[in-house]
Amino acid sequence: MAKAAILLLVAVLAGCSGMTPYQRPASPCDAGESTYECQIERYHNINVP
C-alpha cells in the first residue's frame, strides 16, 4: 500500500513538473504606489482580502 502511494505521488509530481509557473498579470502598482492608476486599483480592490 505504501509503495502504491509513493508511486502515485511520484507520478503526480512528474506530471506537474512540465507546467509553466504562474505568472501574475501586470499591475499598475508595479510602476509605483503613488500613481493614479495604482490608486484606482487600490480603490476597486478595497474589499478583496
Side-chain angles (χ1 to χ4, degrees):
M1 182 67 179
K3 288 182 182 180
I6 291 173
L7 287 174
L8 180 63
L9 178 64
V10 169
V12 168
L13 290 175
C16 294
S17 66
M19 296 178 62
T20 58
Y22 174 74
Q23 297 285 329
R24 71 171 178 82
S27 170
C29 296
D30 291 341
E33 291 287 326
S34 61
T35 61
Y36 178 73
E37 291 82 12
C38 182
Q39 296 301 316
I40 296 298
E41 182 176 327
R42 296 281 188 235
Y43 176 78
H44 287 294
N45 293 337
I46 192 124
N47 290 328
V48 177

